[in-house]
Amino acid sequence: MNDTNHSRVSEFILLGLSDAPELQPIFFIVFSLLYIAIVMGNFLIILTVTSDPRLHSPMYFLLANLSFIDVCVASFATPKMIADFLVEQKTISFEACMAQIFFVHLFAGGEMVLLVSMAYDRYVAICKPLHYMTIMSRRVCIILVIIPWSVGFIHTTSQMVFTVNLPFCGPNKVDSFFCDLPLVTKLACIDTYVVSLLIVADSGFLSMSSFLLLVVSYTVILITVRNRSSASMAKARSTLTAHITVVILFFGPCIFIYVWPFSGYSVDKVLAVFYTIFTPILNPVIYTLRNKEVKSAMSKLRSRYLKSGQVSAIIRNLLFLEPK
């Protein structure tokens, strides 16, 4: 260990999703299309919410912030993964690897708490409807967005404390398409049992506490909805179904990865792909397909910007084909 400083790992090799050369072009096309869909779908929700006055409410404000975090979750590693499909040696510098670890826990931790904020919004809307606008003031909405980012930052900083100073002087192959704590810490030149235990405790506490808060919140909300049978409650059921679906899709893989007993601890590539790519692309689909107000606002947005002949005129201008 005295030679650690002289043989410190300067880069890691990402083994990616598969080492089969014939699959690389297919993966490149598929994940490129998925990433474009993630960015366009989530930014479409943000544009729709900000441009339609009818959607200027706490619920849609939080939804727009969820879409922004989904773009961040998909962007911390996906572009690198897509670029790696075109090269044989998938390397990442030590600094970039640490950055990926920092951002995955910042964005994932923030999204967990933001989902709790959204559950609180639905709790107030359904259980205390007469006081909704008073309780969910602009100030409260801003606080409900600041808290997730703050918790995510504290969470990822605490994780980095465990990792950044570990001595890496030997193996440098990460069996995934991005750097994450469970795999990177195993490459250290010291016994990382205690570090792994602290990482599991940290991530497990945030995941399980957020999940339990969501379970309690939605249980109370569902009981309230069941005891009412008005048309507004039917709308509430539809909204709740979308929220609960998103919670299950996001927390399922995260809890499996970070709370599963780490004696058999490994990051499943399928689950990693699911919560970094498929969850961000499913969220806008779930919220738009089950929300008439959002679909109506998107229709108006489309009719406003995609009027007959306007698109072709824009294309002609871009190609300098506009007749003079």
Side-chain angles (χ1 to χ4, degrees):
M1 292 304 297
N2 293 332
D3 295 330
T4 296
N5 292 333
H6 301 286
S7 59
R8 182 178 178 86
V9 170
S10 60
E11 65 179 18
F12 292 96
I13 298 174
L14 301 174
L15 299 184
L17 294 179
S18 172
D19 57 359
E22 64 275 10
L23 293 178
Q24 305 305 307
I26 299 175
F27 282 156
F28 175 80
I29 295 172
V30 170
F31 286 104
S32 295
L33 294 175
L34 287 174
Y35 182 66
I36 292 171
I38 290 169
V39 174
M40 292 183 64
N42 283 286
F43 274 121
L44 178 59
I45 288 182
I46 295 172
L47 178 62
T48 302
V49 171
T50 54
S51 62
D52 194 321
R54 295 179 306 167
L55 301 183
H56 292 175
S57 65
M59 182 179 77
Y60 295 111
F61 173 72
L62 295 174
L63 175 60
N65 279 275
L66 177 65
S67 292
F68 177 73
I69 290 188
D70 277 336
V71 173
C72 293
V73 169
S75 299
F76 84 92
T78 306
K80 166 68 176 169
M81 177 184 68
I82 293 172
D84 283 344
F85 289 136
L86 301 178
V87 298
E88 184 176 350
Q89 190 77 351
K90 303 172 175 58
T91 60
I92 184 171
S93 67
F94 178 85
E95 292 75 15
C97 184
M98 294 299 108
Q100 283 193 342
I101 293 174
F102 177 86
F103 286 119
V104 66
H105 288 279
L106 172 66
F107 299 141
E111 181 159 351
M112 289 180 189
V113 183
L114 183 60
L115 290 173
V116 176
S117 296
M118 296 177 73
Y120 175 74
D121 169 73
R122 291 300 83 203
Y123 166 77
V124 176
I126 294 173
C127 300
K128 301 178 182 295
L130 299 179
H131 304 284
Y132 178 69
M133 294 311 298
T134 302
I135 297 175
M136 295 298 297
S137 63
R138 178 183 294 270
R139 178 173 173 273
V140 171
C141 289
I142 293 174
I143 291 174
L144 289 177
V145 170
I146 292 176
I147 289 176
W149 286 104
S150 301
V151 172
F153 180 78
I154 294 171
H155 168 63
T156 194
T157 302
S158 65
Q159 298 283 51
M160 293 303 296
V161 169
F162 300 143
T163 310
V164 72
N165 291 321
L166 288 175
F168 296 95
C169 55
N172 66 339
K173 292 184 179 180
V174 181
D175 189 17
S176 185
F177 60 92
F178 70 94
C179 292
D180 199 7
L181 282 174
L183 294 178
V184 174
T185 53
K186 289 196 300 184
L187 301 178
C189 300
I190 61 173
D191 183 5
T192 57
Y193 178 86
V194 176
V195 173
S196 299
L197 181 62
L198 292 172
I199 289 171
V200 170
D202 191 338
S203 296
F205 175 76
L206 179 60
S207 300
M208 290 304 297
S209 59
S210 299
F211 185 71
L212 290 175
L213 282 173
L214 287 166
V215 170
V216 172
S217 299
Y218 284 121
T219 299
V220 174
I221 294 171
L222 289 172
I223 292 174
T224 303
V225 169
R226 189 185 63 178
N227 294 333
R228 302 178 185 179
S229 57
S230 63
S232 61
M233 289 301 105
K235 179 182 176 182
R237 290 189 188 95
S238 177
T239 303
L240 284 177
T241 302
H243 280 242
I244 294 172
T245 303
V246 167
V247 167
I248 294 173
L249 289 175
F250 182 80
F251 275 90
C254 288
I255 290 177
F256 182 88
I257 290 173
Y258 290 105
V259 184
W260 202 258
F262 74 92
S263 56
Y265 200 63
S266 65
V267 176
D268 190 308
K269 293 181 184 180
V270 175
L271 291 176
V273 169
F274 193 87
Y275 80 80
T276 57
I277 296 176
F278 287 104
T279 299
I281 201 174
L282 288 173
N283 284 357
V285 174
I286 292 169
Y287 281 114
T288 54
L289 289 181
R290 300 193 64 87
N291 193 302
K292 293 182 180 179
E293 292 178 342
V294 174
K295 287 193 291 186
S296 174
M298 285 184 175
S299 298
K300 290 187 176 182
L301 192 67
R302 183 175 62 249
S303 62
R304 182 191 308 173
Y305 292 105
L306 302 180
K307 292 179 181 178
S308 177
Q310 184 173 339
V311 175
S312 59
I314 293 174
I315 295 175
R316 288 198 302 271
N317 285 331
L318 292 174
L319 297 176
F320 304 99
L321 298 177
E322 182 71 28
K324 297 182 180 179

